[in-house]
Amino acid sequence: MSAKAEEIMTEKEKLVGKALDKDQKPFDLAFDLVLNQLEEEGCSESEEGWFCPETIEGAGHLITERVPLILEVLYEEDYLERKVNLGVPHYRLKE
């Protein structure tokens, strides 16, 4: 390994932290988008109140690619119900 690569490896934790800090804003925007969508009428292809991540429009790629991860975390933390309809996961807030 070159001296420069070794230097980078010793700084790995700090560099990963900086990369995560830069990624914070798209995650914040995606989180807000998810909450707004969960409170709206839901997916037109599903029962009322269910949100389909594939229906998100008007958000950039950096935001929409984070939506499934946010939904999965909210589901794992028991904030959401999930069902699969036509092979696509749908979510809604638990009452």
Side-chain angles (χ1 to χ4, degrees), residues 28-78:
D28 287 343
L29 293 171
F31 194 89
D32 292 344
L33 178 65
V34 164
L35 286 179
N36 287 336
Q37 292 291 319
L38 286 167
E39 292 193 320
E40 289 186 6
E41 72 278 349
C43 174
S44 62
E45 303 297 319
S46 182
E47 299 169 33
E48 186 175 327
W50 289 90
F51 165 65
C52 170
E54 293 184 359
T55 62
I56 292 179
E57 296 178 1
H61 177 71
L62 288 176
I63 294 169
T64 57
E65 72 180 5
R66 288 157 174 80
V67 168
L69 179 60
I70 291 168
L71 288 167
E72 188 61 29
V73 168
L74 289 171
Y75 174 73
E76 288 174 357
E77 294 295 318
D78 208 30

